[in-house]
Amino acid sequence: MTITSAIVLYAVLWFMTFLMVIPIRLQTQGDVGEVVPGTHAGAPEHHHLKGKAKITTLVAAVMWGILFWIISTGAITVRDFDWFNRMAPVEASE
């Protein structure tokens, strides 16, 4: 795995994890009962983004480490997902 693909993998994992973590413990203006005029009741009042970013960074780093190990060692390859045998056979080295 090249450094570019490792960075891209981490970025994708980070953003996917962040989008899953954002709604956790989110308090909206409607939940608090103080809706600011001109805003929607579903607008966030307390979002705790700094803590969520820290959690996201930790979780994404663990997932990245596991995926990096799998890719680097070849424990799972593309051929493992060739359920219909559409890939050409592997040529034996002489």
Side-chain angles (χ1 to χ4, degrees):
M1 176 182 293
T2 64
I3 188 71
T4 305
S5 60
I7 291 170
V8 169
L9 177 63
Y10 183 77
V12 168
L13 287 172
W14 194 92
F15 280 104
M16 286 177 51
T17 306
F18 191 60
L19 290 174
M20 289 186 283
V21 170
I22 285 177
I24 298 172
R25 293 186 51 218
L26 179 71
Q27 293 180 345
T28 63
Q29 292 179 9
D31 294 339
V32 177
E34 299 175 5
V35 180
V36 176
T39 62
H40 192 273
E45 181 69 27
H46 303 291
H47 46 72
H48 312 287
L49 282 181
K50 186 181 284 189
K52 291 178 183 183
K54 290 178 184 177
I55 291 170
T56 299
T57 302
L58 180 66
V59 171
V62 170
M63 289 190 306
W64 181 85
I66 293 169
L67 288 173
F68 181 79
W69 177 80
I70 289 172
I71 293 169
S72 297
T73 61
I76 299 174
T77 63
V78 175
R79 294 197 177 277
D80 294 332
F81 296 104
D82 184 25
W83 296 306
F84 300 110
N85 296 323
R86 293 184 177 158
M87 296 179 79
V90 179
E91 295 184 22
S93 60
E94 296 178 27

